[in-house]
Amino acid sequence: MTARGVAIRISGLRKSYRGTDVLRGIDLQIEPGETLVIVGGSGEGKSVLLRHLAGLEQPDAGAVRLDDLDLSEYLAMPPNRKPFRIAMVFQGAALLNSLTVAENVALRLREHEHRSEAELSRTVSDCLAQVDMAGTEGQLPGDLSGGMRKRVAIARALAADPQVVLHDEPTADLDPILTQQIGELINRIHDTHRATQVVVTHNLALAEEVGNRIAVLQRGRIVELLPADALGHSTNPYTQAFVKAASLRT
Amino acid sequence: MTRMEPSPDPTPRRPGERIKARRGVLGTIGYEVLDVLQIMGEAASLFFATLSGVRVTGRTRERTMAQLVRVGVDTLPLAFLVSLFVGMVLVIQTAEQLERYTQEIIGSIVGLAMTKELGPVIMGFLVAGRVGSAVAAEIGSMRVYDEINALKTMDIDPVRFLAVPRFLAMTLALPMLVLYADVVGITGGAIVVALDPAIKISVSQYLTNLNQWINTTDVFVGLIKATTFGMIVAVISSAFGLRTAGGAEGVARSTTAAVVWSFVLIIVFDYLIVRATLVLL
């Protein structure tokens, strides 16, 4: 696991759905190995932005570059010729319910790499151990709790040895203890894999815990970009209102 | 300004939505026509994508075998019951109509009806209802719960991973099911011939007449139909699954639509194949 993160540069990204502007010109530079957290209210475009970084959405205008490579060029490359890998952890984990935990974690490797079953098994065990899910290899996703599913989804992402990890609402519907565990996992990926991570959340405690920087998204625009520890000192009215509302919830 | 590569999956888009919003009669008709054309376009596009995605690899073979069990083996008991009773009903109905003429031709009528028409159509309907609906619901749920997007982020083509094994399995299993249904249906007819006192011919006469009239071309026509119907059910159920949107309600809508459209297309292609074989054979 020697992955090093890649730089992500987003410029002039715009997207609208049926006449409604969701992203209205996003410009953002994310450093290699950095964990950037995107916060904002519901419907502000956070997940849409993340899906653009994963290549799941097509922008109306603008571009995403990963190191020196345009995302469209990256997506067009055959899987085993790609110079780095992007993994995404979805809000609902998105594990394939018909496959066991081990098969889910090994899926990408099994499809694209010629590894022996013993090697695959070792990688799966290693990835599951990293997320404290060792011993669950034979279970089906339907037998797991929400927090366990989320951790298996992180293990599946790690199995690809990714240079970029995208997290969509990693702690949605999780209790505070599980939220803390997920936060620790994101920090572990930062420390040990040195992958570039983008985390979308409206959990400000998590944002401050895992982020190097925090981008505040409002109505499809980045209204503030600041170090994680400076969130409470923001002078931006929207950020202040968001922080205040979040503190009321807790 | 750089554009990214389009997403390969047929995301639901309704070209006629603006027309429908006007709510006029013509607008509504226009919307429906555009929607049907779009569905047909998506199905045709998926058909060609599936054909080009067929690779005989170990992984595809494993997934296809799993689907073959689901489509073929698991359907056998139901196919047995349905075909048996269809054969039995056919003999009773035919015998009653022929009572005043001759019942000696019952065997050929049952045989031809089963091999050329009822076997393929009924098995097509059965697979559409039993397996096609399950495929549409399964792929639809995968779409709703981001599993298909998860596959894409792992550089796994959803068409190759999901649609190809189902397509191969249905295309291979339906002809086998039709042969099975032919045998069971004809046997069902023979049971009625043996047991029903209103039928004046023997089982031996029933089978002799059947053998005289049925040739390999008739069976071949039934198998062509079965292969085509297998492709139709696979493509339509996968296409509706992949265009699912709107949560659990969307999954239910896709499942119903997949079955209805499979039924309609089976009947339409049944007619086209009959016309074509009348000209060619």
Side-chain angles (χ1 to χ4, degrees):
Chain A
M1 304 276 185
T2 54
R4 292 181 62 88
V6 298
I8 303 173
R9 200 173 74 232
I10 306 165
S11 48
L13 201 70
R14 289 178 172 275
K15 181 72 179 178
S16 64
Y17 295 99
R18 291 168 194 162
T20 305
D21 292 332
V22 179
L23 299 180
R24 301 193 296 168
I26 302 281
D27 294 295
L28 201 56
Q29 171 91 33
I30 305 168
E31 301 304 325
E34 180 185 12
T35 300
L36 179 89
V37 182
I38 301 169
V39 299
S42 300
E44 302 283 13
K46 304 187 299 293
S47 293
V48 172
L49 174 56
L50 200 70
R51 292 163 85 88
H52 275 85
L53 300 185
L56 296 172
E57 298 281 347
Q58 197 186 349
D60 297 333
V64 176
R65 289 189 76 81
L66 302 149
D67 278 349
D68 295 326
L69 200 60
D70 194 274
L71 183 58
S72 57
E73 293 168 36
Y74 171 83
L75 293 172
M77 287 178 168
N80 40 18
R81 295 236 180 112
K82 289 184 173 173
F84 49 83
R85 285 166 297 282
I86 302 172
M88 182 159 173
V89 182
F90 289 84
Q91 184 173 346
L95 300 174
L96 271 66
N97 281 315
S98 56
L99 304 183
T100 63
V101 165
E103 287 167 338
N104 264 289
V105 174
L107 189 57
R108 185 178 194 157
L109 303 176
R110 216 183 272 277
E111 289 296 314
H112 301 307
E113 295 180 23
H114 299 288
R115 294 201 196 183
S116 68
E117 281 303 314
E119 270 181 287
L120 281 176
S121 176
R122 257 198 312 277
T123 307
V124 167
S125 299
D126 180 40
C127 292
L128 286 173
Q130 288 184 58
V131 297
D132 304 320
M133 288 293 288
T136 58
E137 284 86 344
Q139 292 192 41
L140 288 168
D143 301 331
L144 304 176
S145 68
M148 291 164 91
R149 288 167 65 91
K150 199 62 75 82
R151 279 187 282 163
V152 173
I154 294 174
R156 181 173 69 182
L158 293 181
D161 195 14
Q163 283 80 351
V164 177
V165 185
L166 310 170
H167 302 264
D168 190 8
E169 298 285 4
T171 59
D173 307 322
L174 298 185
D175 64 41
I177 293 173
L178 289 173
T179 298
Q180 190 188 4
Q181 288 175 359
I182 297 292
E184 284 167 6
L185 281 177
I186 295 172
N187 280 334
R188 208 181 293 168
I189 296 171
H190 174 77
D191 297 338
T192 59
H193 294 259
R194 288 179 289 160
T196 306
Q197 296 188 93
V198 183
V199 181
V200 155
T201 184
H202 41 225
N203 184 329
L204 291 188
L206 177 82
E208 287 177 312
E209 168 73 22
V210 303
N212 297 121
R213 286 187 302 160
I214 296 177
V216 183
L217 195 67
Q218 185 194 15
R219 289 183 197 156
R221 284 204 181 98
I222 302 287
V223 292
E224 194 165 23
L225 182 62
L226 69 177
D229 53 9
L231 189 66
H233 312 295
S234 167
T235 54
N236 181 284
Y238 178 76
T239 309
Q240 283 180 337
F242 198 77
V243 171
K244 191 179 170 192
S247 64
L248 286 176
R249 278 184 62 198
T250 53
Chain B
M1 193 169 76
T2 316
R3 298 279 299 209
M4 284 186 214
E5 191 186 50
S7 172
D9 82 295
T11 303
R13 286 172 292 267
R14 304 274 192 270
E17 252 176 13
R18 257 183 303 171
I19 299 173
K20 198 188 184 188
R22 290 180 199 151
R23 300 209 179 264
V25 176
L26 285 177
T28 306
I29 294 170
Y31 169 80
E32 295 301 336
V33 169
L34 284 175
D35 203 33
V36 168
L37 288 176
Q38 186 174 0
I39 290 166
M40 291 299 101
E42 283 173 15
S45 150
L46 180 64
F47 174 70
F48 291 113
T50 305
L51 282 185
S52 67
V54 173
R55 304 270 189 286
V56 188
T57 64
R59 228 54 74 228
T60 308
R61 225 183 345 253
E62 272 172 36
R63 285 195 283 267
T64 305
M65 285 308 289
Q67 293 299 323
L68 262 174
V69 170
R70 188 181 178 191
V71 182
V73 178
D74 293 352
T75 307
L76 286 177
L78 204 55
F80 178 85
L81 272 180
V82 172
S83 313
L84 188 77
F85 281 96
V86 166
M88 290 162 82
V89 168
L90 260 180
V91 168
I92 294 172
Q93 293 275 26
T94 319
E96 195 200 359
Q97 297 299 317
L98 295 176
E99 205 172 13
R100 280 177 289 161
Y101 307 101
T102 174
Q103 290 185 337
E104 283 175 9
I105 57 169
I106 289 176
S108 56
I109 292 174
V110 172
L112 287 172
M114 282 308 297
T115 52
K116 291 180 82 170
E117 195 57 45
L118 291 177
V121 170
I122 289 174
M123 286 304 108
F125 283 179
L126 192 62
V127 168
R130 209 191 78 82
V131 187
S133 58
V135 166
E138 185 185 12
I139 297 179
S141 299
M142 289 182 76
R143 184 167 172 86
V144 167
Y145 294 111
D146 267 335
E147 290 172 38
I148 288 178
N149 281 332
L151 288 175
K152 288 181 196 167
T153 60
M154 289 186 277
D155 288 315
I156 297 171
D157 177 8
V159 171
R160 248 161 78 184
F161 189 81
L162 297 169
V164 167
R166 284 157 179 80
F167 178 84
L168 290 175
M170 289 200 207
T171 308
L172 292 171
L174 246 166
M176 299 299 120
L177 280 174
V178 166
L179 285 178
Y180 172 76
D182 291 349
V183 173
V184 173
I186 288 166
T187 309
I191 292 169
V192 174
V193 169
L195 300 177
D196 192 335
I199 296 168
K200 307 287 187 257
I201 60 167
S202 65
V203 173
S204 160
Q205 281 173 297
Y206 166 81
L207 293 175
T208 307
N209 179 247
L210 189 142
N211 271 332
Q212 280 170 348
W213 280 88
I214 294 185
N215 53 42
T216 46
T217 310
D218 301 321
V219 178
F220 180 64
V221 170
L223 294 181
I224 288 176
K225 286 185 180 180
T227 308
T228 310
F229 299 164
M231 290 180 188
I232 287 171
V233 176
V235 169
I236 292 295
S237 51
S238 299
F240 274 100
L242 287 170
R243 78 195 306 266
T244 301
E249 196 188 327
V251 174
R253 257 198 317 269
S254 289
T255 307
T256 308
V259 175
V260 170
W261 275 97
S262 295
F263 281 15
V264 170
L265 288 175
I266 282 173
I267 294 295
V268 170
F269 274 81
D270 186 34
Y271 171 80
L272 294 175
I273 293 168
V274 169
R275 295 300 310 178
T277 51
L278 285 178
V279 174
L280 298 171
L281 300 175

